[in-house]
Amino acid sequence: MSKLAPPPALRLGVNIDHVATIRNARGGAHPDPVRAVLLAIASGADGITAHLREDRRHIRDDDMTRLKAAIGATPLNFEMAATEQMLDIALKIKPHAACLVPEKRTERTTEGGLDVLGGHNHLVPFASELGRAGIRVSLFIEPALEAVEAARTIGAPVVELHAGAWCEAVIGGNLTRAAHELERIRLAARRARELGIECHAGHGLTYDTARVIAAIPEIVELNIGHFLVGEAVFVGLEQVVRTMRAAMDEGRAAA
Ligand code: PXP
């Protein structure tokens, strides 16, 4: 009797941006995102994500430098807009991965995926320069088949599917919308695998949604930030990372 191969492991990338948000609220040095990084790694994070925004509203340039120095062999995923300034910084920091994201000054958080269809020509040189420097390029895209296909023509080895619309539908109790959005994620993840693109997901995930999305076998990494930092206020970062890890493992076991 033939046995199905188990799904690949599911990595947890902890996004520590909002530790910096809290620090910046008072303008001092506490809480230090680098301390959060070390604790997250000790508690089961497989990688660390940080987004250096143009307005430096949370992570700052020296955070990225300190983070890279402190993180050791753990992969650092540098979220960045496709701008010359960010490219220069990424080439200096040399993170394991760079996730290209859209950025608008007025948004509270990354509201949607990259315009990989309309912005194709703009993105190609960024993806190739980062790739040439040995940085694994990921594109943060909407969970849509045409976006995955466009990502391939841009030459990115990785896509991260924006899970925000699905998570919002779940939190809002809109079951029909949630089912539709989850199906879009499933189909996009499947298409990514068919095209040989590694598939990640992120934005808005909680224990409950991480458990569900973990069952999609083509997704091999989840990047989670706001919920983890928010929950850490109540139970501490170590506990939160451990509980998230357990939720993901539980969901994966159902794949
Ligand atoms: N992935 C990407 C590309 C993001 O831009 C963000 C938000 O910065 C996240 C994951 C994490 O989202 P959240 O903070 O909602 O967990």
Side-chain angles (χ1 to χ4, degrees), residues 218-241:
E218 293 87 357
I219 295 176
V220 298
E221 181 173 307
L222 299 180
N223 285 303
I224 311 178
H226 186 267
F227 175 79
L228 296 178
V229 175
E231 271 299 290
V233 170
F234 303 110
V235 299
L237 189 60
E238 179 179 350
Q239 182 60 47
V240 162
V241 172

Side-chain angles (χ1 to χ4, degrees), residues 15 17-18 49 51 53 58 77 79 99-101 109-110 140 160-162 201-205 223-228:
N15 179 320
D17 291 349
H18 296 302
T49 295
H51 184 178
R53 279 184 167 267
H58 36 59
N77 177 30
E79 282 182 17
C99 181
L100 296 178
V101 300
T109 181
T110 317
F140 189 44
E160 179 167 330
L161 303 179
H162 196 308
H203 206 94
L205 294 167
N223 285 303
I224 311 178
H226 186 267
F227 175 79
L228 296 178

Side-chain angles (χ1 to χ4, degrees), residues 44-193:
D46 300 294
I48 296 296
T49 295
H51 184 178
L52 184 66
R53 279 184 167 267
E54 186 199 8
D55 62 8
R56 312 302 199 264
R57 69 176 70 160
H58 36 59
I59 293 296
R60 297 177 180 150
D61 300 57
D62 74 307
D63 291 328
M64 290 305 302
T65 311
R66 290 187 312 120
L67 233 155
K68 180 65 173 30
I71 199 171
T74 305
L76 172 62
N77 177 30
F78 181 2
E79 282 182 17
M80 55 177 270
T83 64
E84 290 297 332
Q85 187 200 38
M86 286 302 150
L87 179 62
D88 286 348
I89 296 171
L91 294 175
K92 276 191 204 110
I93 303 272
K94 287 210 184 312
H96 167 78
C99 181
L100 296 178
V101 300
E103 222 176 85
K104 288 190 224 126
R105 275 175 192 227
T106 50
E107 69 191 357
R108 258 194 233 154
T109 181
T110 317
E111 283 169 356
L114 279 170
D115 178 11
V116 272
L117 299 166
H120 179 280
N121 293 347
H122 173 72
L123 293 167
V124 168
F126 286 92
S128 42
E129 195 147 349
L130 289 163
R132 268 199 304 277
I135 299 168
R136 204 158 160 74
V137 179
S138 143
L139 302 178
F140 189 44
I141 60 170
E142 290 299 313
L145 299 183
E146 59 277 17
V148 177
E149 283 152 14
R152 186 185 187 219
T153 67
I154 289 166
V158 183
V159 290
E160 179 167 330
L161 303 179
H162 196 308
W166 171 57
C167 292
E168 268 174 36
V170 171
I171 288 166
N174 187 338
L175 298 186
T176 311
R177 178 86 202 278
H180 170 74
E181 292 294 340
L182 184 60
E183 188 58 13
R184 289 180 79 217
I185 294 174
R186 263 202 199 98
L187 294 174
R190 192 174 301 160
R191 188 76 186 116
R193 187 170 67 181

